[in-house]
Amino acid sequence: MLALAFPHLSTDRIARRLWGPSWRSKGRPEHPPILCAGRRENAMRLTALDEICEGLGLKRGQGLAEARAMFPNIDVADEDGAADRALIEAIADWCDRYTPLVALDGGEGLFLDITGCAHLFGGEEALLKDVLARLLQMGFDVKGAISSSPGLSWAICRFGRGGVISGERMEEALISLPVNALRLEEETVASLCKLGLRRVGDLLHLPRASLARRFGTRLLLRLDQARGANEEAISPRRPVAALSAERKLAEPIQAEDGILQLTGQIAYSLKPGLEARGAGGRVFELVLFRVDGRVFRITAGASQPLRDPSRISALFSERLNAVHDDFDAGFGFELLRLNVLQYDAFEISQDDFTGNGRGEISLADFVDRVSARLGVDCLRIAEPKQSHLPERAEVFVPAIMARPVQRKVEEIFAFAPRSERPLRLFRHPEPVEAFAATVPDGPPQRFRWRRLVHEVVRAEGPERIAPEWWLDGQDGEERDYFRLESNTGRRFWIFRQGHYDAGKVPPTWHMHGIFS
């Protein structure tokens, strides 16, 4: 587990804006000390300091007026939590080059699960050295530590010298650390210090029962987590891709044509993995790592499972055209990665006699290209949904997310309609004025709909549909549906909501669809 700490993240953000990302490698220009201030407890207090401010003896939480009185020439900036959050998120995106398991640790730290990844960079020592060197070139003051425990890595990179801690050296490295390296509450740390327990080594040989009784079980939990005796899981900020392939470039690339060509080549390396699963990709993600540390993520979906590298590359061609104005290659991209975020079973189909099956653009290709260019919501399709009420028996979803329905209606639903459904179903049932309806459950002899009176010559029904009480509540009324044919040959589907009961409000009639 690799832990990274950025003790001067806020001031580094300001310095990068003033002097550029590579300001640390070039040397700090002549400039007053930088700090950030925000309102705390109805007073302006220091919230972030750079190294010079810390060397002057200023502390976080100190009053701004006191700091100005001590050092009038300090450069004070307003705190910006949103900007700091966006910056640490951007750094986490950049760290995806080392491992897909990156988690945020508060507002000024990261956890990287590098299990199985270190050998790709020459070992843990080389990986840590590369991470710290690259971040330093990007203008960040950063500390890092690697161990088999997140708690120990966190403690070493903040209160120790950092580096790689092997399994047999874990307890030795932990002994000399202060007790606040265990990620305890301030009250607990203060109580321990009052009793003279200032180092973690002072706690290791004390009776555990006495510690739990005096300070609670959380102290023992944090102690065990730091020693690696109790496993601690981290929550990655992004889901891990089902399949992934990448290409590191010796020379950065800028042209979109070159990016698409490389995307097709990377897609070829994903094909064996998809074939082994008997699947095809439905949602793909192209991750572009720019040389200055910025990361672009471009997602493209397919209406059918895909394995063909040329079709996958074509998806991103449309997406790059759609995001062209927001796509800035800068000085080029040094790393390209293609992820399969979602896949489905792949059905092999017979090609035509030409052997390519590309005589004309299929509907799936059209849906993929239009959705990639205009967005997934530009084309929508109805899918069946489990519901007794006709207007709820389908739901509109983006066409690119729709799954092919190859089963019968009776297999999809737990029930089958007892009568045929109209060709056209109204989204909202329209009111109907019925006349001479047979009481209590018969159809009307005639009815008025849209200002026209229709004489009923044939009727079939009723088909009773009960309300969905889990959605409509206990007051939902039953519906009795009738198929009616008028003297002009038109066929309607109407329903009566409610019943004819003495002393109650009479039921209402509604038109729900037409057959012809």
Side-chain angles (χ1 to χ4, degrees), residues 20 30 41 54 57 72 159 162 173 193 206 214 228 237 246 327 334 412 462 473-474 503:
E30 290 293 334
E41 299 176 353
E54 291 177 346
F159 299 92
C193 292
L206 293 179
R214 181 70 179 269
R237 50 191 296 271
E246 66 181 33
F327 185 74
E334 60 179 348
I412 298 175
Q474 298 293 342

Side-chain angles (χ1 to χ4, degrees), residues 183-466:
R183 297 175 292 171
L184 299 172
E185 292 79 5
E186 295 182 2
E187 295 80 3
T188 304
V189 173
S191 300
L192 290 170
C193 292
K194 286 182 180 179
L195 297 176
L197 305 174
R198 301 180 180 276
R199 300 290 174 183
V200 178
D202 300 335
L203 304 174
L204 294 180
H205 303 293
L206 293 179
R208 294 174 61 88
S210 300
L211 290 175
R213 186 166 52 251
R214 181 70 179 269
F215 303 102
T217 57
R218 185 173 179 80
L219 172 60
L220 299 181
L221 174 64
R222 289 302 193 187
L223 189 60
D224 290 340
Q225 288 176 343
R227 299 169 62 186
N230 194 324
E231 292 188 1
E232 180 182 1
I234 66 171
S235 299
R237 50 191 296 271
R238 292 184 180 275
V240 180
L243 285 172
S244 181
E246 66 181 33
R247 179 71 60 87
K248 294 182 179 180
L249 306 176
E251 294 291 335
I253 188 172
Q254 294 176 302
E256 291 186 8
D257 292 341
I259 293 174
L260 293 175
Q261 183 180 2
L262 282 175
T263 301
Q265 295 176 8
I266 299 173
Y268 269 108
S269 60
L270 288 177
K271 191 174 181 180
L274 291 172
E275 291 176 346
R277 289 171 168 80
R282 287 292 301 272
V283 181
F284 299 89
E285 181 186 46
L286 180 62
V287 188
L288 306 171
F289 294 84
R290 208 166 65 179
V291 293
D292 63 351
R294 186 174 178 184
V295 180
F296 290 85
R297 295 179 180 273
I298 304 174
T299 304
S303 58
Q304 294 181 351
L306 292 184
R307 290 180 186 169
D308 185 9
S310 61
R311 291 187 62 185
I312 296 173
S313 179
L315 292 178
F316 288 102
S317 175
E318 299 294 341
R319 289 295 297 133
L320 287 176
N321 289 331
V323 301
H324 185 273
D325 294 339
D326 299 328
F327 185 74
D328 182 13
F331 291 102
F333 300 101
E334 60 179 348
L335 175 65
L336 277 72
R337 178 181 298 158
L338 184 60
N339 297 327
V340 180
L341 301 183
Q342 180 183 338
Y343 63 85
D344 284 335
F346 185 84
E347 296 183 1
I348 301 177
S349 59
Q350 178 80 31
D351 287 341
D352 58 16
F353 288 109
T354 63
N356 53 29
R358 302 292 295 179
E360 59 182 13
I361 298 177
S362 66
L363 177 61
D365 289 333
F366 171 77
V367 171
D368 294 345
R369 295 178 62 183
V370 173
S371 299
R373 176 69 68 89
L374 304 178
V376 295
D377 291 328
C378 65
L379 297 175
R380 304 180 72 85
I381 191 173
E383 278 196 345
K385 181 183 177 182
Q386 290 277 9
S387 178
H388 293 274
L389 298 181
E391 66 269 22
R392 296 177 183 170
E394 63 182 13
V395 59
F396 283 90
V397 298
I400 199 170
M401 298 299 180
R403 298 178 182 273
V405 178
Q406 300 177 347
R407 297 178 295 169
K408 298 179 180 179
V409 175
E410 293 81 358
E411 298 175 351
I412 298 175
F413 295 102
F415 64 94
R418 296 185 178 181
S419 62
E420 62 178 294
R421 292 295 186 251
L423 182 64
R424 180 185 178 189
L425 188 71
F426 298 146
R427 183 181 297 271
H428 302 287
E430 300 180 5
V432 168
E433 186 178 0
F435 304 102
T438 305
V439 178
D441 296 326
Q445 299 298 320
R446 61 183 183 276
F447 61 90
R448 179 184 288 115
W449 175 56
R450 294 183 178 178
R451 300 183 181 181
L452 295 179
V453 177
H454 301 270
E455 294 288 340
V456 178
V457 296
R458 292 183 180 87
E460 182 180 352
E463 177 190 357
R464 179 161 295 178
I465 297 180

Side-chain angles (χ1 to χ4, degrees), residues 61-75:
Q62 187 175 359
L64 177 59
E66 181 183 355
R68 285 188 182 278
M70 296 171 59
F71 306 100
N73 64 333
I74 56 176
D75 184 3

Side-chain angles (χ1 to χ4, degrees), residues 117-166:
C117 303
H119 69 281
L120 300 175
F121 302 90
E124 295 176 349
E125 292 278 359
L127 187 150
L128 179 60
K129 183 179 180 181
D130 185 69
V131 172
L132 299 181
R134 285 175 176 265
L135 289 173
L136 181 64
Q137 292 175 358
M138 294 163 57
F140 296 106
D141 179 26
V142 58
K143 299 179 180 179
I146 297 177
S147 73
S148 59
S149 165
L152 180 59
S153 298
W154 187 94
I156 293 297
C157 76
R158 285 169 171 79
F159 299 92
R161 296 182 179 181
V164 179
I165 309 300
S166 59

